[in-house]
Amino acid sequence: MKQSSGYVSGMIGIAIFSGSLPATRLAETGFPPLFLTAARAVIAALLAIALLTVFRQKKPERDALLPLAIVALGVVIGYPLLSACALQHIEAVRSAMWTGLLPLSTALFAVLRNGEHPSLRFWIFSLCGAAAVLFYALTQTHGGSLVGDGLMLASILVCGLGYTEGAALSRRLDGWQVISWALILALPLMSVLALASHPVNWDQISPSAWVSLLYVALFSMMLGFVFWYHGLAQGGIARIGQLQLLQPFGGLALSALVLHEVIPPLLVGVTCLVLFCVFGARRAA
């Protein structure tokens, strides 16, 4: 029952995260990457303050401050900024495909930081799923660059670390409190960055860019983590983390709908292989 709840929450989180990169690409038509990263964090932090105040939540214990700082570094600052910068060099489809390596990154940090011990079969399925996504990303999309790909890989590493630390904390605090306190911890820095990098011509920013900013702030930066951290805590970090193999395909579908990018036919076969790997990893974990 606990694992089933974890999978449901995890799937909702992944559905929300799938829109992050397409929305980021669209928001960058009006906002520079640094301001976009800072503004989404500031908006989400203000919502977090309101929620914590309404529900009268106590401040976290002192021993939770370091893990919260790691969460802030990984998912509030690191991943949004690095992926936004990557989208200056590569197309949204390519960046979405790189997120297929997130399960492997999360599983590795789950072993290093939390002492989880997935089985050999789990690693085989996990590596096969990541390899399928990596092969597809390298051979079936165009418009890549060394800088853009490198930034996406760096974002995957810091995001996996942030996921792992946040999931561990979610066993002590509710998932929404973890991301809320991480956002508040990063608020002073992000406020300064937002003021220092704001656009010059506000009247030239399109409505679609504003809507995309609100999406990455309220959904990608806040609501998605509520479900995702709950799922990781309930079902196991390495096991639930495999659901991230589905994120590239959700991102690709939304890129086609929102950005009008083309979905290659080979995607259907790769999707089936990834689904098989997710199922196999779940059983093997």
Side-chain angles (χ1 to χ4, degrees):
M1 186 68 179
K2 194 174 183 180
Q3 288 186 10
S4 297
S5 173
Y7 272 96
V8 171
S9 293
M11 285 297 296
I12 295 174
I14 289 300
I16 293 172
F17 291 149
S18 292
S20 297
L21 290 174
T24 298
R25 183 64 178 267
L26 196 57
E28 285 184 337
T29 60
F31 303 104
L34 183 58
F35 175 80
L36 178 60
T37 301
R40 64 188 281 183
V42 170
I43 294 170
L46 294 177
L47 175 60
I49 292 172
L51 290 173
L52 290 169
T53 302
V54 168
F55 291 103
R56 298 180 180 180
Q57 298 300 313
K58 296 180 180 179
K59 293 181 179 179
E61 301 293 334
R62 292 187 62 180
D63 61 351
L65 293 180
L66 179 58
L68 283 172
I70 295 175
V71 173
L73 179 64
V75 303
V76 177
I77 303 172
Y79 178 78
L81 180 59
L82 291 170
S83 60
C85 290
L87 286 168
Q88 298 288 302
H89 302 277
I90 60 177
E91 57 190 20
V93 170
R94 191 177 184 87
S95 64
M97 294 307 299
W98 282 114
T99 60
L101 299 180
L102 269 171
L104 187 58
S105 174
T106 304
L108 287 172
F109 282 113
V111 172
L112 295 174
R113 298 288 298 175
N114 290 345
E116 293 194 12
H117 299 287
S119 67
L120 177 61
R121 286 176 56 203
F122 171 89
W123 288 112
I124 292 174
F125 280 113
S126 180
L127 289 170
C128 285
V133 172
L134 184 60
F135 174 81
Y136 186 88
L138 293 175
T139 61
Q140 298 299 318
T141 60
H142 304 284
S145 78
L146 184 61
V147 174
D149 290 340
L151 287 168
M152 276 307 300
L153 285 172
S155 74
I156 296 305
L157 287 175
V158 298
C159 189
L161 177 59
Y163 281 170
T164 303
E165 292 293 332
L169 270 180
S170 294
R171 294 170 181 150
R172 299 162 50 189
L173 301 171
D174 288 337
W176 72 273
Q177 291 187 52
V178 172
I179 189 60
S180 293
W181 289 115
L183 286 164
I184 292 171
L185 199 61
L187 180 58
L189 173 62
M190 304 312 273
S191 298
V192 172
L193 292 178
L195 290 173
S197 60
H198 67 81
V200 177
N201 299 315
W202 293 95
D203 57 335
Q204 297 181 5
I205 300 173
S206 66
S208 60
W210 281 109
V211 171
S212 297
L213 171 58
L214 290 176
Y215 181 90
V216 295
L218 301 179
F219 288 86
S220 302
M221 194 87 273
M222 186 68 182
L223 186 60
F225 281 103
V226 174
F227 289 102
W228 183 240
Y229 280 148
H230 177 76
L232 291 174
Q234 291 291 309
I237 298 172
R239 184 185 294 109
I240 299 299
Q242 293 305 298
L243 293 175
Q244 293 168 111
L245 285 170
L246 303 176
Q247 186 173 331
F249 305 106
L252 190 61
L254 289 172
S255 295
L257 291 172
V258 178
L259 304 176
H260 307 293
E261 297 182 358
V262 179
I263 301 178
L266 185 60
L267 177 61
V268 177
V270 176
T271 303
C272 292
L273 177 58
V274 169
L275 287 171
F276 173 77
C277 291
V278 170
F279 178 77
R282 175 183 176 181
R283 296 295 295 267

